[in-house]
Amino acid sequence: MQAVVLEQYGPPEVLHLAEVEEPAPAPGEIKIAVQAAAINPADVKWRSGMLRQFSELVFPQVLGYDVAGAVCALGGAVAGLAVGDLVVGMLDRRLQGGYAQYAVVTPESCVKL
């Protein structure tokens, strides 16, 4: 799949489009076909290196916390959601991954539209 990848800290120009492995939902997780991703202020801080004093990123990194899209796979039974449902969600703060064609989120971190 395609994703916007960060391989070093720096200005916006360090971001580039690349092929990365498509995520698979673990049991109890939801895979979303991302239709929109927001630029969260935390994404800018991670990209620039402002937050590395708290935790270093593992490169290459796909940033992005906030996404909207359609559920395309479920990691087992997930109450209240089905493939095709439109959702908005906030991804795991450590894993991120929203600047991509697909992202994985927990049911507790998203809502059905």
Side-chain angles (χ1 to χ4, degrees):
M1 76 169 176
Q2 290 191 322
V4 176
V5 175
L6 175 69
E7 294 193 30
Q8 65 184 31
Y9 297 112
E13 292 78 20
V14 299
L15 298 169
H16 66 278
L17 195 59
E19 285 290 323
V20 299
E21 188 174 332
E22 191 171 312
E29 292 181 329
I30 300 159
K31 181 177 173 182
I32 298 171
V34 177
Q35 296 173 357
I39 298 174
N40 186 303
D43 297 325
V44 175
K45 292 175 183 173
W46 281 115
R47 181 205 24 89
S48 69
M50 290 175 60
L51 298 178
R52 72 175 132 186
Q53 65 197 23
F54 301 108
S55 179
E56 289 281 331
L57 290 178
V58 175
F59 297 114
Q61 177 73 39
V62 178
L63 298 175
Y65 289 106
D66 308 311
V67 297
V71 174
C72 61
L74 300 170
V78 177
L81 289 172
V83 171
D85 287 345
L86 296 178
V87 296
V88 295
M90 185 167 188
L91 305 180
D92 183 283
R93 67 176 182 83
R94 291 163 287 127
L95 301 177
Q96 303 169 41
Y99 297 172
Q101 289 179 291
Y102 299 96
V104 172
V105 66
T106 62
E108 301 80 26
S109 298
C110 71
V111 294
K112 186 176 172 180
L113 293 176

